[in-house]
Amino acid sequence: MTEKREYTGDYPNKKLYIPGPTGVRDDVIEAMCEPMFGHRMDRMTDLYTTIVEDTKTFLGTDNDVIVLTASGTEFWEAATLNLVDENMLVTTCGSFSERFANVADRLGKNVDRLEYEWGNAVKPEDVRAALEESDTHYDVVGCVMNESSTGVRNPIEEIGDVVAEYPDTYFVVDAVSSLGGDYVDIDAHGIDVIFASSQKAFAMPPGLAICVVSDEAYERELDKESASWYGGFQRCLDYYDRKGQTHSTPAIPIMLAYRKQMKHMLEEGHEGRSERHREMAEYTRDWASEHFEMFPEEGYESQTVACIENTQGIDVAATIDEVSERYDMVFSNGYGSTLGEKTFRIGHMGEHDVESIEALTDAIEDVAGL
């Protein structure tokens, strides 16, 4: 049994280069310190409608937006319950996409996996073949946009164009570790549901899940006999239409932080923010190619998380510890037992820029003797 360890508050601050959570601006943290107010007051309506409509503006979508107190994981469950009667096709190419499929398994759905070797990306033509050749009708195709365990960015735009040719099949995208840092035109590519978490590329405190829902997905849930209660599209969106609030008590301080950070994001713009992330990704790939090798399939590298193959055989765990101790910077080992020492990962997302990523790679070079 785990023993209690007292939180003392006496810890050095570390600059985070992990795949989330990411660093948060000081003024965004300070925004959480307002006096508490009721979640049914007019003040809450002002706050919630602000963050919902600002999110729609930032993402450039006409679809509905839900901001819910939850991890992004909530919408794995909710989208599956809301849209899937029996059968679901999930593309798997790493730990998180496999977990997406496992969630649907545990919810009692029939799940077929379109499986790829870890490090490889999902191919639109394979999705088309699976939909055309299967005797099974799939209610949903599920795909992870940014497989942060392997550093793969799947081409969800092209996959969405394929799924859109099948009007009775809905396309659900986990963009937990990429939305806000990697531009995607949601409405143009038939994405019915796409969701993210506040603590990744949005660079906010953890605790909120952001979900964009198409009219078709909303209508689909209305036709079902059962759906998610907490993450039900109808329940969330109808309450917003009536009251401009959430149906259950939200994490008000985090929503205050969200409001502040979203104003920064609107100022930078969706495409501008994506361009900054692209520059960081390109710098990190060039550095990795000089000293190691990139793990993901060429041409499908993530714009927010670099997964680097440990071709030099450095002691990844020891290097992470020493960089943390000497430089107060934290990056990440490979995800899980399969890739733990074979790879390491750098999260270049949120409010970082090329200069701050270069500071980390300089520290790694120094500690690892590169």
Side-chain angles (χ1 to χ4, degrees), residues 191-262:
I191 299 172
D192 292 292
V193 178
I194 185 168
F195 54 89
S197 294
S198 57
Q199 77 275 14
K200 305 280 188 172
F202 278 67
M204 301 176 191
L208 297 177
I210 303 100
C211 186
V212 183
V213 182
S214 71
D215 290 343
E216 291 78 9
Y218 174 86
E219 294 295 333
R220 164 65 174 163
E221 185 194 315
L222 296 186
D223 292 338
K224 287 184 86 276
E225 294 181 0
S226 62
S228 172
W229 191 91
Y230 186 68
F233 301 149
Q234 180 185 12
R235 182 170 173 78
C236 292
L237 295 173
D238 285 5
Y239 203 93
Y240 179 73
D241 285 343
R242 293 196 311 272
K243 302 285 189 179
Q245 298 175 349
T246 57
H247 60 69
S248 300
T249 308
I252 294 172
I254 304 176
M255 288 190 173
L256 287 166
Y258 190 114
R259 183 196 71 84
K260 187 68 173 179
Q261 173 64 0
M262 185 50 67

Side-chain angles (χ1 to χ4, degrees), residues 47-68:
L47 174 60
Y48 191 62
T49 57
T50 295
I51 65 176
V52 166
E53 299 305 321
D54 280 356
T55 303
K56 291 175 68 173
T57 299
F58 173 78
L59 294 175
T61 181
D62 291 326
N63 291 342
D64 289 310
V65 166
I66 300 168
V67 182
L68 202 61

Side-chain angles (χ1 to χ4, degrees), residues 76 100 143-146 156 172-182 184 193-197 200-202 210 304:
W76 277 350
F100 195 175
C143 183
V144 171
M145 175 178 173
N146 194 72
I156 60 163
V172 176
V173 175
D174 167 352
V176 164
S177 59
S178 55
L179 196 65
D182 186 344
V184 55
V193 178
I194 185 168
F195 54 89
S197 294
K200 305 280 188 172
F202 278 67
I210 303 100
T304 56

Side-chain angles (χ1 to χ4, degrees), residues 5-314:
R5 292 172 48 170
E6 191 69 26
Y7 186 86
T8 66
D10 184 22
Y11 306 97
N13 290 325
K14 305 287 184 178
K15 196 164 188 177
L16 300 179
Y17 298 86
I18 57 178
T22 58
V24 180
R25 293 171 184 258
D26 288 344
D27 64 345
V28 174
I29 294 173
E30 290 165 2
M32 294 191 288
C33 298
E34 292 188 19
M36 191 51 57
F37 52 89
H39 69 293
R40 294 293 176 240
M41 294 170 64
D42 287 345
R43 184 173 175 179
M44 186 66 219
T45 304
D46 292 347
L47 174 60
Y48 191 62
T49 57
T50 295
I51 65 176
V52 166
E53 299 305 321
D54 280 356
T55 303
K56 291 175 68 173
T57 299
F58 173 78
L59 294 175
T61 181
D62 291 326
N63 291 342
D64 289 310
V65 166
I66 300 168
V67 182
L68 202 61
T69 300
S71 164
T73 304
E74 162 62 22
F75 285 108
W76 277 350
E77 290 192 333
T80 302
L81 291 169
N82 296 345
L83 300 179
V84 180
D85 278 335
E86 295 184 23
N87 305 308
M88 183 174 181
L89 176 68
V90 179
T91 60
T92 62
C93 59
S95 181
F96 293 100
S97 49
E98 179 57 36
R99 195 178 299 178
F100 195 175
N102 289 342
V103 168
D105 283 333
R106 289 182 64 83
L107 292 173
K109 307 305 180 183
N110 299 320
V111 182
D112 286 343
R113 290 163 171 79
L114 180 57
E115 296 180 282
Y116 293 83
E117 183 179 351
W118 285 27
N120 289 340
V122 179
K123 306 303 187 298
E125 59 269 25
D126 295 341
V127 175
R128 182 186 300 279
L131 293 173
E132 286 182 353
E133 297 170 10
S134 176
D135 294 331
T136 301
H137 166 71
Y138 295 112
D139 297 311
V140 162
V141 173
C143 183
V144 171
M145 175 178 173
N146 194 72
E147 180 52 78
S148 58
S149 67
T150 62
V152 166
R153 200 283 199 186
N154 286 311
I156 60 163
E157 294 87 349
E158 291 85 352
I159 297 168
D161 292 343
V162 170
V163 178
E165 297 175 20
Y166 299 81
D168 294 327
T169 299
Y170 298 83
F171 188 36
V172 176
V173 175
D174 167 352
V176 164
S177 59
S178 55
L179 196 65
D182 186 344
Y183 180 85
V184 55
D185 189 333
I186 297 167
D187 299 10
H189 296 285
I191 299 172
D192 292 292
V193 178
I194 185 168
F195 54 89
S197 294
S198 57
Q199 77 275 14
K200 305 280 188 172
F202 278 67
M204 301 176 191
L208 297 177
I210 303 100
C211 186
V212 183
V213 182
S214 71
D215 290 343
E216 291 78 9
Y218 174 86
E219 294 295 333
R220 164 65 174 163
E221 185 194 315
L222 296 186
D223 292 338
K224 287 184 86 276
E225 294 181 0
S226 62
S228 172
W229 191 91
Y230 186 68
F233 301 149
Q234 180 185 12
R235 182 170 173 78
C236 292
L237 295 173
D238 285 5
Y239 203 93
Y240 179 73
D241 285 343
R242 293 196 311 272
K243 302 285 189 179
Q245 298 175 349
T246 57
H247 60 69
S248 300
T249 308
I252 294 172
I254 304 176
M255 288 190 173
L256 287 166
Y258 190 114
R259 183 196 71 84
K260 187 68 173 179
Q261 173 64 0
M262 185 50 67
K263 297 301 185 185
H264 290 304
M265 292 173 67
L266 285 168
E267 184 176 354
E268 185 175 23
H270 194 181
E271 293 185 5
R273 197 169 178 86
S274 183
E275 174 64 17
R276 176 168 56 80
H277 281 73
R278 183 191 63 77
E279 291 172 355
M280 291 189 289
E282 288 183 349
Y283 167 80
T284 309
R285 286 198 294 270
D286 289 344
W287 175 82
S289 298
E290 181 181 348
H291 297 288
F292 302 94
E293 291 181 10
M294 291 295 293
F295 182 74
E297 180 180 356
E298 186 175 359
Y300 296 93
E301 298 92 347
S302 165
Q303 192 161 284
T304 56
V305 180
C307 185
I308 298 167
E309 189 170 359
N310 183 17
T311 53
Q312 297 247 24
I314 66 171

